[in-house]
Amino acid sequence: RGLTDISLLERFIHLRYVDLSKNKLQDLSPLSSLTQLLWLKVDGNLLTSASMQELPYLQVISFDHNHIKDLEGITHPLLANLSLKENKIQTVLGLSHDQLSSLQVLELRGNNIKTTAGLGVSKLKKLYLAQNTICSLEGLEEFEQLETLHLRDNKLEALDGFSDSMKCLQYLNLRSNGIRSFQEVEKLQVLPMLQALVLMDNPCAEEPDYRLEVLSRLPQLQRLDKELIEEDEREEAEQIRQTRLGKKK
């Protein structure tokens, strides 16, 4: 509706669900009086900051398609789902576990993030970082409860940074990066619960016997590039693995 001013909303203190998407808002301060707010959507506005007065019951916020540059000032104690897709964020610094102890889903795809270092919210279960410019993975050892990690369309050439403390990670999407060698794939052996891996559109996926090479290194996988592992594939990969182990001995 082309709204630039939402001061009228200040009086509606019992509002719980507010959708202000596709307007021209630059200021959300009138929402600070809506202390009962549970769900807020402000996609497609002109916001340059996600900073707001702390709202005690707010559980879901979507700031997609704005001009937000950083993650400062997001402090809602019950916030479980935060989306900042398609903004101008360059660093993941600014989120605090103490202030966001309930956060489980963080969506940051389509920004300008170069590294995962400093993401201070360790109880996340789902983290979406596709379509950024990430070339190094740092600080991931804190994510002991993370189950899903999306890193599609980044600049990763090495897979250092994963840790055996990531004992819940089941789904990892690395599609369209720069991973060339299976030695890099081998580094994912530290992930004890990894079941689904997406590696298509990496240079290593063009290699002969690509699926067998990956599976021989990560025998616990149930799915590779969205296709289930067949039993005969699993047996063949196991033979390759045993042969390789024999050579090492």
Side-chain angles (χ1 to χ4, degrees), residues 32-84:
S32 59
S33 58
L34 307 187
T35 54
Q36 307 298 306
L37 203 59
L38 301 176
W39 184 96
L40 174 63
K41 194 167 181 175
V42 284
D43 300 347
N45 279 281
L46 303 175
L47 299 167
T48 55
S49 169
S51 181
M52 289 174 67
Q53 180 79 24
E54 186 177 301
L55 292 168
Y57 302 113
L58 191 58
Q59 292 167 32
V60 177
I61 313 181
S62 181
F63 287 109
D64 298 348
H65 301 282
N66 278 280
H67 305 287
I68 294 167
K69 298 185 175 76
D70 60 47
L71 300 176
E72 300 290 340
I74 305 172
T75 60
H76 316 287
L78 292 186
L79 189 64
N81 192 317
L82 173 60
S83 185
L84 287 144

Side-chain angles (χ1 to χ4, degrees), residues 14-123:
H14 298 294
L15 278 175
R16 296 194 176 196
Y17 298 88
V18 172
D19 187 347
L20 293 161
S21 300
K22 297 183 183 172
N23 282 291
K24 295 182 178 174
L25 300 176
Q26 298 182 53
D27 175 26
L28 298 179
S29 57
L31 300 180
S32 59
S33 58
L34 307 187
T35 54
Q36 307 298 306
L37 203 59
L38 301 176
W39 184 96
L40 174 63
K41 194 167 181 175
V42 284
D43 300 347
N45 279 281
L46 303 175
L47 299 167
T48 55
S49 169
S51 181
M52 289 174 67
Q53 180 79 24
E54 186 177 301
L55 292 168
Y57 302 113
L58 191 58
Q59 292 167 32
V60 177
I61 313 181
S62 181
F63 287 109
D64 298 348
H65 301 282
N66 278 280
H67 305 287
I68 294 167
K69 298 185 175 76
D70 60 47
L71 300 176
E72 300 290 340
I74 305 172
T75 60
H76 316 287
L78 292 186
L79 189 64
N81 192 317
L82 173 60
S83 185
L84 287 144
K85 258 190 297 200
E86 307 284 343
N87 276 282
K88 300 188 183 305
I89 297 163
Q90 294 187 9
T91 169
V92 292
L93 296 170
L95 295 180
S96 157
H97 173 67
D98 295 336
Q99 295 167 319
L100 292 170
S101 56
S102 304
L103 193 64
Q104 295 195 350
V105 180
L106 179 57
E107 167 65 90
L108 290 169
R109 82 182 75 185
N111 281 283
N112 302 316
I113 298 164
K114 292 183 173 60
T115 173
T116 52
L119 192 54
V121 276
S122 54
K123 287 196 176 171

Side-chain angles (χ1 to χ4, degrees), residues 61-227:
I61 313 181
S62 181
F63 287 109
D64 298 348
H65 301 282
N66 278 280
H67 305 287
I68 294 167
K69 298 185 175 76
D70 60 47
L71 300 176
E72 300 290 340
I74 305 172
T75 60
H76 316 287
L78 292 186
L79 189 64
N81 192 317
L82 173 60
S83 185
L84 287 144
K85 258 190 297 200
E86 307 284 343
N87 276 282
K88 300 188 183 305
I89 297 163
Q90 294 187 9
T91 169
V92 292
L93 296 170
L95 295 180
S96 157
H97 173 67
D98 295 336
Q99 295 167 319
L100 292 170
S101 56
S102 304
L103 193 64
Q104 295 195 350
V105 180
L106 179 57
E107 167 65 90
L108 290 169
R109 82 182 75 185
N111 281 283
N112 302 316
I113 298 164
K114 292 183 173 60
T115 173
T116 52
L119 192 54
V121 276
S122 54
K123 287 196 176 171
L124 283 180
K125 293 199 169 169
K126 296 184 176 177
L127 177 56
Y128 299 96
L129 290 165
Q131 295 167 319
N132 279 282
T133 54
I134 295 169
C135 48
S136 68
L137 299 172
E138 298 169 73
L140 294 183
E141 61 280 350
E142 295 173 37
F143 295 108
E144 295 183 9
Q145 297 177 31
L146 196 67
E147 296 170 2
T148 297
L149 178 56
H150 270 254
L151 288 161
R152 178 178 175 171
D153 289 305
N154 275 285
K155 309 275 186 209
L156 291 168
E157 295 183 3
L159 294 178
D160 303 304
F162 290 98
S163 162
D164 56 6
S165 64
M166 300 175 79
K167 48 188 182 288
C168 296
L169 192 67
Q170 296 177 26
Y171 179 93
L172 176 60
N173 191 328
L174 292 165
R175 182 173 182 171
S176 299
N177 277 277
I179 298 152
R180 297 184 176 281
S181 79
F182 295 115
Q183 277 69 39
E184 293 304 321
V185 177
E186 211 160 283
K187 293 171 183 175
L188 301 178
Q189 288 174 350
V190 298
L191 301 170
M193 293 297 289
L194 188 64
Q195 293 181 11
L197 175 64
V198 183
L199 263 179
M200 61 175 79
D201 302 328
N202 278 277
C204 67
E206 305 300 317
E207 294 292 325
D209 296 326
Y210 151 69
R211 283 178 68 84
L212 291 174
E213 290 290 347
V214 173
L215 195 55
S216 66
R217 290 166 169 83
L218 302 171
Q220 82 279 21
L221 286 182
Q222 302 298 313
R223 196 181 286 270
L224 176 60
D225 295 340
K226 315 214 171 169
E227 287 181 33

